[in-house]
Amino acid sequence: MPNRLRRLLAPPIFENEEKTRVAQFMTYFGWIAIGIVLVLLIPRLFNWTEASKTTTLTLAALVVILAFMRYIIQRGYVYAASIFVVWGLWGVLTYLAWGAGGSGGVHDLSIIAYIVLIILSSLLMGWRSACFVAGASILSIWFFAIVEYKGWRTFHIYEPIGYAQDLSGIIILISILIYMLISSWTKSLRTARLELKERLRVEQKLQSQADYLNALNETALGLLNRFELRPLLESILIRACGLLDTDHGLIEMVLPDGSALRQELGCGVLAKYDGSITLRDEGVTGTVWNSGKYLVVDDYRAWDKKLSDFIDAGICAVLAVPLIVRETVIGVLAVSYIEEKRVFTQEQVNFMERFASLAALAIDNAQLYEQTQNEIRERSMVEAALRLSEDKFRKVFNNSNIAIAIATLEDGTFLEANAAFWKLSGLQPEQAIGRNTVELNMWDGSDERKKFVRELLEKRSLQNVKVGFPNKTSLGFYELLQIEEQPCILCMFYDITEQQEMENALKNSEARTRAILASIPDMIFEISKDGTFLDLMASSEISPTMPPSQFIGKNLKELFPPTIARQSIFALDRAIATQQIHAFEYGLPPGEEVQFFEARVAAIPPESAIIMVREISQRKWIESEREKLIRELEETNSELERFTYTVSHDLKSPLITIKGFLGFLEQDAASGNMVRLKSDVKRIGDATDKMQLLLNELLELSRVGRLTNPSQTINFKELAREMVDLLYGRLHEREIQVHIQSNLPPVFGDRQRLSEALQNLIDNAAKFMGDQPNPRIEIGQSGFENDMPIFFVKDNGVGIDPIHQDRIFGLFNKLDVKSEGTGIGLTLVKRIIEIHGGRIWVESEAGKGAAFFFTLPTGPKS
């Protein structure tokens, strides 16, 4: 209650200082005036007469006006409240002098109260308003005087006690106004005096800074006009030492690999350390490099990171500032005193910071200049190499037996070709140069060439393209190149007419041979003398025991059991030695004789042979195949059994919980323990919910890739915002800030499935935030992969150790068994991303948050 009353009585505060001052004055004046009017009003209420009725009501109206003024001020209309209260009070006072029973006229105390209004209007609205109120008051006084003088109205004088009472109230009000006016003036004079002192102090400081800036400007002009790095460093160090009145200083620069600082230049007692290495956070310069801020050490001997070499050099005080370019520390500038009790002032520190900024820019400028000079030298060398390469290319181009031509990409106009091309194509240079391939009837039509250009632009080069010339066949090779900023095509053609004829003849011969061999119901191998398989021709009746890629190029001894290998090598040697066919039988596998084959070996002079294998036990072969199928089925059943075990294990836990607590329910009901009964019912409900969640997620996982909605173009930012709104409860509970990057590209896919994937990723990020004090999730896009945008969901939570990152997408794999969920979420996300043609991966470290990256298509496949 006291606080509420205090807020009611306190003046309001506005952004405008003058407005606040006027509101404060009016508030205080209003409460004081209300108090005085109440003092005058209360006796009249106790001594109520018909004659005092009008005066009493008028005084009550004054209280209402002052209270309504307070309401207007609280609403923020301070100037309107000023006008209202001044002229409202003036009207009430004039009415009192005229209409309150004809009491006083020009002799009425209300006339004296005009002085209060004049003073009040001058304080609130300025001298112009005060003059206007004074003029109106004077006119009112003269009006009352003339009315009384002419006898038009008779006025009466107040009785003495009431007159004295009202006069006392007016005098008190005038005194308070004068006091408030004097207090306001005194406060203004005090404020002006303080402002004057502060201005003098600031001007003195600015003058001192101007002197330093003068020296800094002269130094900067000298530094920035140097382009050679070594002289520039000398100039910087000399000027820095001169400006701080010392002979001892050094400049250390960060090595190109960013591993350490190296002292490039020193002067005074520090010159002997040129070339020395300083590690990060080591000594003064290493500390400044690590923090990126200046460092002042007034007593180096007592400093906890002191270096013995600098103690031996007699260093007493050190000031070091970083050389920063584009928010990166490139070096450190340090100066020192060897005199006892000599320290650096804050003004010197500020000056050295500015000096270091200019010095860093000058050093960066010099480094860029040196880099530019090196690039110019390298460019000259490259240009010379290009000229040499161009000469070599010209010689190869003109003297090559390969047909080479250069044409424009846009319309295929011939720019240049060598003699081999004119010979192959049958064209003449004077007829073809300057004309395009469509005009020369080298394409069936413009559409055919447009298709060729589209394919070339897509692949950047085309290889082994068959091209027909008159009576010639060639292989074409096409590459894109730029000639004077014009896209062109480098065309090379190899004449394969004779090779094509030989290949056709060979293919025909081979086709006849294979047709003959294909009619033989045997499997035929070509094998070398040492037992290495060279080729295979499969039989329509016999399937090889393994794919040809697994035994071609390998030896019999590597692929077959020793018994069969020795038997085969013996038959091979006999056949090659006698040049006669040698046959033998064998069973596979040895000892079990599941299959029986007959092998016939015929020599191919001089060092190889043909082995024809015929299956002689169809029944056993079928049984072998049946056993193979049974083994495959057993493996499948084993995988299904492992999956069933995992599912049943997770389902068994809630079922055991339900069964166990059902027994407890009976005990609780028998004992009447309702608290435990409700607790056990809740545990059973939680176990049921967990089992329902697991079954739903397994069902959802089984549907991914089978049940899909029509794909559509989706605003990814809008989709992310919907998922954030959907997870508002969890995010708001942890006070997690979510930032969604603007201008995210649209994606194309199943909106429902992509919503599930994004919801899982955001929910996981919120779930594993740990005890992060400022939790944050960021959703955005960074780069492209295979023409698909790479999206990400990042958080600053507990992160994932790299050794576990391969497991998190596995079914039922949970890194924290105590966490909520079933371990299916990320498996579901992975399958949804992959059925859309994208991929998903994670980048994280333990304790440093996790970032899940995934790609999605932006449109349907062409």
Side-chain angles (χ1 to χ4, degrees):
M1 186 65 181
N3 291 333
R4 185 177 301 175
L5 182 61
R6 191 181 298 111
R7 287 196 298 271
L8 177 64
L9 299 177
I13 298 175
F14 305 101
E15 293 182 358
N16 189 318
E17 185 177 352
E18 180 63 21
K19 188 176 179 180
T20 302
R21 184 191 67 78
V22 174
Q24 184 179 15
F25 181 86
M26 292 178 66
T27 301
Y28 292 149
F29 171 77
W31 291 123
I32 293 170
I34 289 173
I36 294 173
V37 172
L38 289 175
V39 170
L40 298 175
L41 181 61
I42 292 172
R44 285 178 169 82
L45 291 175
F46 285 103
N47 299 318
W48 179 271
T49 62
E50 191 63 29
S52 65
K53 176 181 178 182
T54 304
T55 304
T56 303
L57 293 177
T58 306
L59 290 175
L62 284 174
V63 175
V64 173
I65 289 172
L66 292 170
F68 190 66
M69 173 202 72
R70 168 69 177 165
Y71 171 75
I72 297 175
I73 292 173
Q74 289 290 353
R75 301 284 292 181
Y77 304 107
V78 176
Y79 187 73
S82 303
I83 297 173
F84 170 75
V85 73
V86 168
W87 289 105
L89 293 176
W90 188 89
V92 171
L93 292 175
T94 304
Y95 175 72
L96 278 173
W98 172 262
S103 57
V106 75
H107 307 289
D108 196 90
L109 287 175
S110 301
I111 302 301
I112 300 175
Y114 281 155
I115 298 173
V116 177
L117 293 182
I118 295 170
I119 297 174
L120 184 63
S121 63
S122 67
L123 288 172
L124 298 181
M125 298 181 291
W127 65 271
R128 289 184 177 85
S129 298
C131 292
F132 195 71
V133 173
S137 301
I138 291 171
L139 289 175
S140 177
I141 292 170
W142 277 99
F143 173 74
F144 291 142
I146 291 170
V147 168
E148 185 176 356
Y149 175 76
K150 293 292 186 178
W152 295 340
R153 186 180 175 97
T154 303
F155 297 99
H156 302 282
I157 305 300
Y158 274 112
E159 51 90 16
I161 297 301
Y163 189 85
Q165 186 181 15
D166 293 349
L167 183 61
S168 298
I170 292 172
I171 290 173
I172 291 171
L173 197 56
I174 293 174
S175 300
I176 291 171
L177 277 175
I178 293 173
Y179 169 75
M180 294 177 72
L181 180 61
I182 293 172
S183 297
S184 178
W185 287 344
T186 303
K187 185 177 179 181
S188 298
L189 288 174
R190 190 182 299 113
T191 303
R193 191 181 298 111
L194 292 174
E195 288 180 355
L196 181 60
K197 288 182 180 179
E198 181 65 19
R199 184 175 297 176
L200 291 174
R201 188 185 66 80
V202 170
E203 287 181 355
Q204 187 177 7
K205 185 176 180 180
L206 288 175
Q207 182 61 40
S208 175
Q209 289 182 350
D211 295 338
Y212 273 113
L213 288 175
N214 236 351
L216 195 64
N217 183 47
E218 294 176 1
T219 303
L221 291 174
L223 295 179
L224 295 175
N225 287 331
R226 292 183 177 270
F227 293 104
E228 296 180 0
L229 185 59
R230 184 71 182 185
L232 174 63
L233 295 178
E234 293 176 355
S235 176
I236 291 173
L237 190 57
I238 291 171
R239 288 181 178 272
C241 292
L243 292 170
L244 270 67
D245 191 22
T246 181
D247 296 328
H248 315 287
L250 59 85
I251 295 179
E252 294 189 358
M253 302 298 295
V254 178
L255 294 176
D257 60 359
S259 60
L261 289 168
R262 180 176 62 200
Q263 181 171 320
E264 299 293 340
L265 187 63
C267 62
V269 298
L270 302 174
K272 59 184 178 181
Y273 301 113
D274 286 356
S276 62
I277 298 298
T278 302
L279 301 178
R280 188 181 290 274
D281 205 27
E282 180 184 42
V284 173
T285 54
T287 302
V288 172
W289 177 32
N290 187 52
S291 65
K293 300 178 180 178
Y294 74 87
L295 177 63
V296 179
V297 180
D298 292 330
D299 187 358
Y300 187 78
R301 293 181 178 87
W303 191 49
D304 56 352
K305 292 185 179 180
K306 60 182 177 292
L307 300 177
S308 58
D309 291 344
F310 292 100
I311 294 290
D312 297 339
I315 300 300
C316 293
V318 181
L319 166 60
V321 290
L323 301 172
I324 301 176
V325 176
R326 293 180 290 276
E327 301 182 358
T328 301
V329 178
I330 65 170
V332 177
L333 170 62
V335 293
S336 61
Y337 292 144
I338 62 173
E339 297 84 4
E340 295 285 347
K341 298 183 179 179
R342 190 175 179 189
V343 296
F344 296 96
T345 65
Q346 185 60 42
E347 193 171 4
Q348 289 176 319
V349 171
N350 296 338
F351 170 71
M352 281 299 292
E353 281 194 293
R354 299 189 189 98
F355 180 81
S357 298
L358 291 173
L361 291 175
I363 293 172
D364 188 54
N365 187 35
Q367 289 176 338
L368 290 175
Y369 177 77
E370 287 191 352
Q371 291 176 4
T372 303
Q373 295 300 315
N374 292 333
E375 288 178 0
I376 291 174
R377 287 192 293 270
E378 291 175 0
R379 184 174 296 177
S380 299
M381 296 172 63
V382 169
E383 289 177 353
L386 284 175
R387 284 193 294 271
L388 179 61
S389 176
E390 185 178 355
D391 292 341
K392 292 180 179 178
F393 174 77
R394 178 63 57 186
K395 292 178 181 178
V396 171
F397 182 84
N398 291 328
N399 300 319
S400 175
N401 292 327
I402 300 171
I404 305 174
I406 299 176
T408 61
L409 176 65
E410 182 179 1
D411 57 2
T413 300
F414 281 107
L415 302 178
E416 194 172 356
N418 63 357
F421 177 78
W422 304 125
K423 180 179 179 181
L424 177 65
S425 63
L427 299 173
Q428 298 298 321
E430 58 274 8
Q431 296 175 349
I433 295 296
R435 299 180 65 187
N436 61 53
T437 52
V438 176
E439 294 174 344
L440 295 171
N441 296 321
M442 299 184 71
W443 294 95
D444 294 338
S446 59
D447 292 339
E448 190 71 21
R449 188 181 185 279
K450 289 178 181 178
K451 180 180 177 182
F452 162 77
V453 171
R454 282 197 303 271
E455 185 178 1
L456 180 59
L457 288 173
E458 179 182 349
K459 297 181 179 178
R460 310 301 299 173
S461 66
L462 297 176
Q463 309 289 331
N464 297 322
V465 180
K466 282 195 174 183
V467 181
F469 289 102
N471 301 321
K472 298 285 186 180
T473 302
S474 65
L475 285 179
F477 296 81
Y478 303 92
E479 292 284 343
L480 291 176
L481 75 158
Q482 293 284 123
I483 299 178
E484 297 180 355
E485 299 184 357
Q486 182 182 16
C488 298
I489 308 174
L490 175 64
C491 314
M492 294 180 289
F493 304 97
Y494 295 86
D495 187 357
I496 59 170
T497 304
E498 294 182 1
Q499 178 183 347
Q500 190 72 32
E501 292 174 353
M502 293 176 62
E503 286 181 357
N504 290 337
L506 183 61
K507 286 180 180 178
N508 293 334
S509 174
E510 183 178 359
R512 288 192 296 271
T513 303
R514 286 193 174 273
I516 294 172
L517 294 176
S519 62
I520 301 174
D522 298 336
M523 185 181 298
I524 302 175
F525 299 92
E526 181 181 357
I527 192 167
S528 65
K529 183 178 180 180
D530 62 353
T532 301
F533 286 101
L534 303 177
D535 198 1
L536 159 72
M537 177 173 288
S539 167
S540 58
E541 297 183 5
I542 303 177
S543 298
T545 57
M546 62 186 71
S549 59
Q550 292 188 14
F551 58 78
I552 291 179
K554 295 186 179 180
N555 196 278
L556 274 168
K557 297 176 182 178
E558 301 177 43
L559 302 175
F560 289 93
T563 303
I564 298 176
R566 285 195 299 271
Q567 193 175 8
S568 300
I569 292 294
F570 175 78
L572 180 63
D573 291 339
R574 290 290 302 272
I576 294 176
T578 62
Q579 295 295 308
Q580 295 179 354
I581 296 176
H582 188 79
F584 66 94
E585 295 180 359
Y586 63 93
L588 285 176
E592 298 180 15
E593 298 181 346
V594 176
Q595 284 184 291
F596 287 91
F597 298 92
E598 179 187 62
R600 300 172 64 83
V601 183
I604 304 177
E607 299 292 335
S608 61
I610 291 292
I611 299 179
M612 294 178 286
V613 179
R614 177 175 297 179
E615 193 256 337
I616 58 175
S617 182
Q618 185 70 16
R619 179 180 58 80
K620 292 183 179 181
W621 178 82
I622 292 174
E623 291 177 355
S624 174
E625 285 297 305
R626 184 186 64 184
E627 292 297 326
K628 179 180 177 182
L629 291 175
I630 290 174
R631 286 195 299 273
E632 291 177 356
L633 182 60
E634 287 176 348
E635 291 177 359
T636 304
N637 288 337
S638 177
E639 291 180 1
L640 182 59
E641 185 176 330
R642 288 195 297 271
F643 175 79
T644 304
Y645 171 77
T646 305
V647 175
S648 64
H649 180 271
D650 280 12
L651 288 176
K652 187 187 297 180
S653 178
L655 287 173
I656 292 173
T657 301
I658 293 170
K659 183 176 180 180
F661 279 93
L662 282 174
F664 292 151
L665 283 179
E666 184 177 357
Q667 297 175 9
D668 297 339
S671 62
N673 190 340
M674 297 306 294
V675 175
R676 283 190 54 187
L677 180 65
K678 292 180 180 180
S679 174
D680 294 342
V681 169
K682 182 179 182 303
R683 289 177 180 267
I684 292 174
D686 291 343
T688 306
D689 292 341
K690 180 179 180 182
M691 185 165 62
Q692 181 66 34
L693 175 62
L694 181 62
L695 290 173
N696 287 342
E697 293 195 3
L698 284 172
L699 179 61
E700 189 65 27
L701 183 64
S702 70
R703 289 175 175 173
V704 174
R706 294 190 295 108
L707 300 179
T708 59
N709 300 309
S711 295
Q712 57 180 305
T713 299
I714 305 167
N715 186 322
F716 194 81
K717 181 179 180 181
E718 177 184 320
L719 183 67
R721 177 55 59 193
E722 288 179 4
M723 294 305 101
V724 170
D725 292 341
L726 184 64
L727 296 169
Y728 174 79
R730 183 186 290 277
L731 298 175
H732 180 70
E733 177 186 0
R734 291 297 312 277
E735 297 181 357
I736 299 173
Q737 297 294 324
V738 180
H739 173 71
I740 300 176
Q741 182 179 316
S742 59
N743 299 326
L744 291 176
V747 298
F748 186 80
D750 185 339
R751 185 181 186 91
Q752 179 182 348
R753 293 301 184 201
L754 294 180
S755 298
E756 294 170 3
L758 193 55
Q759 178 184 351
N760 267 293
L761 291 176
I762 298 173
D763 188 51
N764 268 9
K767 186 191 305 179
F768 298 104
M769 195 58 71
D771 56 357
Q772 172 62 243
N774 298 307
R776 176 181 173 86
I777 296 174
E778 184 177 354
I779 303 171
Q781 181 254 335
S782 174
F784 289 84
E785 181 181 272
N786 298 329
D787 296 328
M788 289 191 292
I790 301 174
F791 296 96
F792 62 81
V793 176
K794 296 181 181 177
D795 64 74
N796 58 350
V798 297
I800 303 169
D801 195 294
I803 63 175
H804 298 306
Q805 291 178 9
D806 292 337
R807 297 178 48 233
I808 61 173
F809 294 106
L811 188 62
F812 302 111
N813 285 338
K814 294 175 62 178
L815 302 184
D816 183 3
V817 295
K818 296 181 180 179
S819 63
E820 59 180 289
T822 61
I824 299 178
L826 286 178
T827 305
L828 183 66
V829 172
K830 184 173 185 293
R831 291 195 182 180
I832 291 173
I833 296 300
E834 288 178 350
I835 65 172
H836 281 82
R839 76 179 186 97
I840 184 170
W841 69 97
V842 63
E843 295 179 4
S844 175
E845 293 183 28
K848 295 185 179 180
F852 283 86
F853 295 87
F854 55 93
T855 59
L856 288 172
T858 57
K861 293 183 179 179
S862 60

